Amino acid sequence: MLDLKVTETYDESQIQVLEGLEAVRKRPGMYIGSTSAQGLHHLVYEIVDNSIDEALAGYCTHIEVTIEKNNIIRVADNGRGIPCGIHPQMGIPTLEVVLTVLHAGGKFGGEGYKVSGGLHGVGSSVVNALSVWLEAEVRDGHEKHFMRFERGVTVKPMESVPFESETGTTIRFKADPEIFETTVYDFEVLEKRLRDQAFLNAGIKITLRDEREDELNEEVMHYEGGIRQFVEYLNRTKTPIHKDVIYMEGSREGSMAEVAMQYTDSYSETLISFANNINTTEGGTHETGFKASLTRVLNDYGRKYNLIKENEKSFSGDDVREGLTAIISVKLQEAQFEGQTKTKLGNSDMRTLVETMMNDRLTTFFEENPSVARAIIDKAQTAARAREAARKAREMTRRKSALDGASLPGKLADCQERDPHLTEIYIVEGDSAGGSAKEGRDRRYQAILPLWGKMLNVEKARLDKVYGNEKLTPMITAFGAGFGEDFDLSKLRYGKIILMADADVDGSHIRTLLLTFFFRFMRPLIEHGHVYIAQPPLFKNEKGKDVRYTYSDEEQRACLDDMGDGVRVQRYKGLGEMDPEQLWETTMNPENRIIKQVHMEDAAAADEIFALLMGEKVEPRREFIEKNAKYVTNLDI
């Protein structure tokens, strides 16, 4: 890998100051995205990113993240420690500058770091401003320094004592409930992010501990193989068509790129890219270079060795990426991020670097491993034939639609409103529940489409098998936006698509099948927040005129305690047991209902869970179910 280690001195002179902290508590969303759970977890990432930067610079090998009781976070590393001498510009300890001045750090023009991962570069000072309190301990090999702050204000000036031992920084903080909607951390959310960082920085060890319960929960993430192991991890639920992960790296003018890739027998692609450890979910120049090179190299190799005949068309990008799992990671000094969420890399030279590196390394790999090259080309040829079959099926579907006037499906009970901003469609399991939903709905803006039986598992089907499928076609027609490469979000007929199935195993299976289809063939529906899951009640409790519905066993126990004796309890086994009025009141009335929006903040996690639950391998699915049995109510996304 490219040597990114910094040889210059890292001291107070490297910390440059740009501006103060004033606006952070007034407008926290500007600095951490939101004050929801997402923003809360972002606090941890900001502190960890500083430790990761120390690892990139070559000085940190172990990061420990601990969730203490009362949701206090402790992040400790064995890096050099934040500089603590008197800052030449500010005249106060540099540790205080770093923790109380916005945009103060070794990443803004100083020589402290060649490459840094923080997207906003706001880091520790913002975490300090948004915490009830924050404590910093720095060990520099000679002394141990300590400071304490409350809501960004210094309350305990720096104290220093002799300490001739290890170096590093430990930050402890308590997020401010005045700022955040919740201050409870999700172990799995932190684990996912930290695991990515461990994969992306080969050799670094990251330990995540949860001390909130009596039983300690701990995950140690340490991957000497870096992104090679990342690909193996993502493919653990799939069957690779070649044994070893293909790995390539290259560098030029202080930037580096590395790619790890492996093909599986699945029909979908998983392409995840990073720039300076930031997940570039909107892609960018590094992805463009990768895709262009992959298509070119496979076509050139196939033509050279007569694996693609003269009368055959060249492979398209979609053909060569079917079944591919790939990680692209680039590191550069002046990353330029674009796009709506600032997660699209814009540096044009990174396309050149990735494309040139891939052209050279992948061609060499295929020349040295002809059996692997042939297996990949066979896969692409099968994909090309299926794509051609899908094209013919699509044209037939279009002609059929034109002949029948693109009529809406017979089982659809449409709504009167035509403005998609005001309309919603319930996808309901079974004709019985569909009948109740049709009677109970507000027909002005609520449409109902009943589904019957299990639908096609698209995780195990190619595109040509999806066209004309009798279970999927009514839904595709009702939505009006097409699917696959023809999908057009602007033609969507309903602003909310609400999945309403029974709260049992069959209902969960149907929801998962539907979400798999949306994820594979209508992904913008999820990306733009159009998909929701209805939460029907599990119990109805009656005592005289007092009627209450509950949605979980825990809520039910609390309700019974509150209502006292003499409560008549009805346990709903399915939606079909509710009459239209009950279904409206509990599950469809916007004033009372509970619906959960389906988010896709992390395509890798979504892809992994769909492949695991809907794929061919049984053992990983069994392990997942056993591990998550106690969380079964949250099995959906």
Side-chain angles (χ1 to χ4, degrees):
M1 287 181 63
L2 178 66
D3 181 14
L4 295 172
K5 185 161 183 173
V6 179
T7 55
E8 295 86 353
T9 303
Y10 180 50
D11 59 22
E12 53 272 9
S13 66
Q14 305 299 332
I15 303 298
Q16 298 206 350
V17 180
L18 300 185
E19 60 178 273
L21 252 189
E22 296 82 10
V24 179
R25 287 185 63 83
K26 279 190 177 179
R27 299 182 180 85
M30 289 178 60
Y31 300 91
I32 56 166
S34 75
T35 56
S36 64
Q38 184 179 0
L40 176 75
H41 291 81
H42 192 90
L43 298 183
V44 184
Y45 308 153
E46 287 285 1
I47 301 298
V48 171
D49 282 348
N50 292 332
S51 299
I52 294 288
D53 289 337
E54 274 288 277
L56 286 173
Y59 294 101
C60 172
T61 59
H62 189 195
I63 303 168
E64 296 177 89
V65 180
T66 305
I67 314 170
E68 300 179 4
K69 291 188 184 300
N70 299 319
N71 286 284
I72 293 166
I73 293 291
R74 181 175 75 247
V75 180
D77 69 46
N78 64 346
R80 292 168 290 180
I82 299 171
C84 290
I86 299 300
H87 193 273
Q89 184 181 340
M90 302 292 288
I92 58 176
T94 304
L95 175 60
E96 187 169 4
V97 174
V98 168
L99 289 167
T100 59
V101 180
L102 191 63
H103 295 310
K107 310 170 191 178
F108 299 98
E111 297 298 324
Y113 296 101
K114 283 186 180 179
V115 172
S116 81
L119 177 58
H120 305 293
V122 294
S124 307
S125 58
V126 165
V127 178
N128 195 9
L130 301 179
S131 297
V132 178
W133 55 263
L134 180 145
E135 295 175 345
E137 178 188 286
V138 177
R139 303 166 297 281
D140 62 13
H142 304 289
E143 292 182 300
K144 181 159 61 177
H145 312 274
F146 179 84
M147 291 194 77
R148 180 180 169 94
F149 308 83
E150 293 180 3
R151 295 190 166 95
V153 177
T154 306
V155 296
K156 195 165 190 176
M158 191 172 77
E159 297 176 349
S160 305
V161 295
F163 191 75
E164 300 279 346
S165 188
E166 82 277 358
T167 63
T169 301
T170 301
I171 302 288
R172 289 180 75 237
F173 66 90
K174 170 75 172 168
D176 194 342
E178 293 180 7
I179 299 289
F180 294 97
E181 296 164 21
T182 177
T183 56
V184 179
Y185 295 93
D186 186 322
F187 183 89
E188 290 185 1
V189 170
L190 292 176
E191 179 190 0
K192 170 67 183 62
R193 167 72 180 238
L194 297 177
R195 193 179 299 281
D196 285 359
Q197 296 299 315
F199 279 128
L200 291 166
N201 300 280
I204 192 169
K205 180 174 161 186
I206 301 179
T207 303
L208 174 63
R209 295 190 189 92
D210 190 345
E211 299 177 346
R212 290 174 294 184
E213 302 294 331
D214 292 336
E215 185 179 341
L216 176 70
N217 188 8
E218 179 175 284
E219 283 288 333
V220 178
M221 294 154 274
H222 184 210
Y223 307 105
E224 292 291 349
I227 64 171
R228 292 183 190 87
Q229 284 183 262
F230 201 163
V231 169
E232 290 172 353
Y233 179 81
L234 293 173
N235 283 348
R236 71 194 188 283
T237 62
K238 304 172 186 177
T239 304
I241 65 171
H242 55 97
K243 181 183 176 184
D244 296 326
V245 173
I246 303 168
Y247 176 80
M248 298 155 280
E249 67 175 357
S251 60
R252 89 185 237 190
E253 298 176 1
S255 298
M256 69 152 291
E258 54 177 343
V259 170
M261 52 185 274
Q262 186 181 42
Y263 284 85
T264 72
D265 63 358
S266 71
Y267 304 130
S268 56
E269 69 170 278
T270 302
L271 177 59
I272 310 170
S273 63
F274 298 85
N276 291 357
N277 294 333
I278 297 161
N279 186 192
T280 40
T281 52
E282 294 179 88
T285 52
H286 51 338
E287 275 196 26
T288 303
F290 170 84
K291 290 177 178 178
S293 177
L294 181 65
T295 306
R296 181 186 303 112
V297 170
L298 273 169
N299 276 308
D300 289 350
Y301 185 90
R303 296 285 182 200
K304 179 178 179 180
Y305 291 99
N306 205 30
L307 300 174
I308 304 174
K309 308 301 181 187
E310 286 187 16
N311 62 337
E312 287 183 308
K313 289 182 180 179
S314 294
F315 296 136
S316 70
D318 288 333
D319 297 332
V320 302
R321 295 196 303 276
E322 183 182 283
L324 173 68
T325 300
I327 303 291
I328 307 165
S329 177
V330 298
K331 287 172 181 156
L332 62 164
Q333 287 178 294
E334 297 292 337
Q336 298 163 12
F337 293 102
E338 304 169 353
Q340 186 176 0
T341 55
K342 299 296 182 191
T343 51
K344 181 177 182 180
L345 186 66
N347 301 69
S348 58
D349 56 328
M350 294 315 295
R351 170 173 180 162
T352 306
L353 172 57
V354 173
E355 197 165 352
T356 304
M357 180 265 291
M358 286 271 296
N359 288 344
D360 179 38
R361 309 286 199 281
L362 192 56
T363 300
T364 301
F365 178 87
F366 285 159
E367 295 285 356
E368 294 174 352
N369 299 271
S371 62
V372 175
R374 180 177 287 274
I376 293 171
I377 284 178
D378 286 348
K379 171 85 170 166
Q381 285 175 326
T382 307
R385 286 192 288 270
R387 210 166 297 283
E388 179 63 18
R391 184 187 64 78
K392 291 177 180 176
R394 186 165 64 242
E395 288 179 357
M396 192 176 297
T397 302
R398 285 172 180 161
R399 284 198 296 272
K400 185 179 176 184
S401 295
L403 289 171
D404 65 14
S407 60
L408 292 170
K411 283 182 174 285
L412 172 70
D414 207 1
C415 54
Q416 296 162 355
E417 178 62 58
R418 290 290 172 262
D419 183 352
H421 294 96
L422 305 175
T423 59
E424 51 192 43
I425 183 170
Y426 276 83
I427 308 299
V428 185
E429 173 194 359
D431 282 335
S432 174
S436 291
K438 286 178 184 179
E439 287 187 50
R441 68 179 174 140
D442 186 329
R443 64 184 63 243
R444 290 173 302 167
Y445 64 91
Q446 290 179 326
I448 308 295
L449 180 64
L451 296 180
W452 64 100
K454 294 282 171 61
M455 61 173 48
L456 179 72
N457 179 0
V458 296
E459 194 67 32
K460 301 177 183 177
R462 271 203 169 92
L463 188 61
D464 54 316
K465 301 295 184 186
V466 177
Y467 284 97
N469 180 273
E470 63 174 7
K471 298 288 196 300
L472 294 172
T473 301
M475 187 171 64
I476 295 166
T477 306
F479 292 175
F483 76 106
E485 59 189 61
D486 290 336
F487 186 80
D488 183 351
L489 193 63
S490 68
K491 295 180 179 177
L492 186 64
R493 300 181 66 243
Y494 308 98
K496 284 190 176 75
I497 294 164
I498 304 171
L499 311 185
M500 188 161 70
D502 291 342
D504 58 12
V505 172
D506 284 343
S508 184
H509 192 191
I510 287 170
R511 280 193 296 272
T512 307
L513 288 167
L514 283 166
L515 291 172
T516 306
F517 176 67
F518 295 156
F519 179 77
R520 294 289 177 226
F521 296 104
M522 295 180 168
R523 191 172 297 193
L525 286 181
I526 300 177
E527 291 173 335
H528 292 269
H530 292 283
V531 181
Y532 296 80
I533 295 173
Q535 302 290 300
L538 290 177
F539 301 94
K540 178 185 179 183
N541 301 286
E542 285 185 277
K543 185 178 179 181
K545 293 184 178 180
D546 187 3
V547 179
R548 304 185 197 179
Y549 296 95
T550 57
Y551 296 80
S552 68
D553 290 329
E554 184 180 8
E555 197 177 313
Q556 175 66 7
R557 287 192 293 271
C559 179
L560 291 177
D561 288 344
D562 186 52
M563 293 180 77
D565 297 328
V567 180
R568 190 158 64 91
V569 178
Q570 181 181 359
R571 171 72 159 89
Y572 292 116
K573 293 187 177 68
L575 296 167
E577 293 185 6
M578 293 188 198
D579 60 38
E581 291 77 16
Q582 289 175 333
L583 197 58
W584 162 256
E585 193 60 32
T586 63
T587 318
M588 301 180 70
N589 183 348
E591 293 183 10
N592 301 329
R593 71 185 180 190
I594 298 174
I595 58 174
K596 293 185 178 179
Q597 190 175 37
V598 177
H599 296 285
M600 196 179 68
E601 296 174 3
D602 192 317
D607 177 79
E608 180 187 324
I609 199 74
F610 284 130
L612 187 145
L613 289 174
M614 311 310 293
E616 298 285 354
K617 287 195 173 182
V618 175
E619 190 57 35
R621 180 158 54 248
R622 182 185 295 118
E623 289 176 6
F624 175 87
I625 291 169
E626 288 172 354
K627 181 180 177 183
N628 292 278
K630 63 180 178 179
Y631 307 119
V632 71
T633 54
N634 299 319
L635 198 57
D636 296 306
I637 285 186

